Amino acid sequence: MLATLCPEPRFEFYPMAKQVRGWDRIEKFYRTQYTKFSPMVVGYEVIGEWTNEVAALQEYVIDLDEAGTTKRYHIISMMPADEASGLLQGERLYCDDGFVLALLGPLAEFLEPIV
């Protein structure tokens, strides 16, 4: 995944209006937190996918096991391309705050307002 990202990736979360940005933070997420998040996924359904030359968009439902309780989250994820590098800029996720906190775990401290 890291090889698909531009040098300064950014992951934005709406309606929370917060982001995690910068190579070091995104790399730390994928190398440490994502391996803890993945086993929480107990179900996944892609509702739709669309791509063109500037972005990819996915709508999906994901079921997470959170402390023995399954929670369902509806997510829209847009992955815009970086014009200079041709790689992904990161991701814009439209989802529930609970999903963001489950995804990031202790790295939620990296969240900062989008300005």
Side-chain angles (χ1 to χ4, degrees):
M1 181 63 199
L2 290 169
T4 68
L5 296 174
C6 71
E8 286 300 316
R10 177 172 59 200
F11 283 65
E12 300 174 345
F13 302 99
Y14 295 96
M16 183 184 269
K18 296 207 176 192
Q19 65 184 339
V20 175
R21 63 187 171 122
W23 184 265
D24 292 342
R25 289 178 172 190
I26 301 300
E27 181 180 29
K28 184 171 185 174
F29 165 76
Y30 277 110
R31 294 199 188 277
T32 64
Q33 178 57 28
Y34 192 75
T35 58
K36 296 174 185 166
F37 171 77
S38 304
M40 295 172 60
V41 177
V42 294
Y44 182 91
E45 177 189 354
V46 175
I47 296 169
E49 287 183 302
W50 304 268
T51 60
N52 63 26
E53 60 280 349
V54 296
L57 182 72
Q58 278 190 332
E59 181 181 8
Y60 56 93
V61 177
I62 190 167
D63 297 317
L64 298 181
D65 179 352
E66 297 185 51
T69 301
T70 300
K71 293 190 180 176
R72 175 165 275 205
Y73 295 101
H74 295 262
I75 299 153
I76 296 176
S77 170
M78 182 173 52
M79 296 155 277
D82 178 63
E83 198 172 305
S85 67
L87 299 169
L88 297 176
Q89 291 177 13
E91 214 169 330
R92 288 187 196 122
L93 291 113
Y94 296 82
C95 56
D96 185 273
D97 291 2
F99 177 77
V100 176
L101 297 176
L103 176 68
L104 296 177
L107 300 183
E109 69 183 11
F110 290 163
L111 286 168
E112 57 187 34
I114 295 173
V115 283

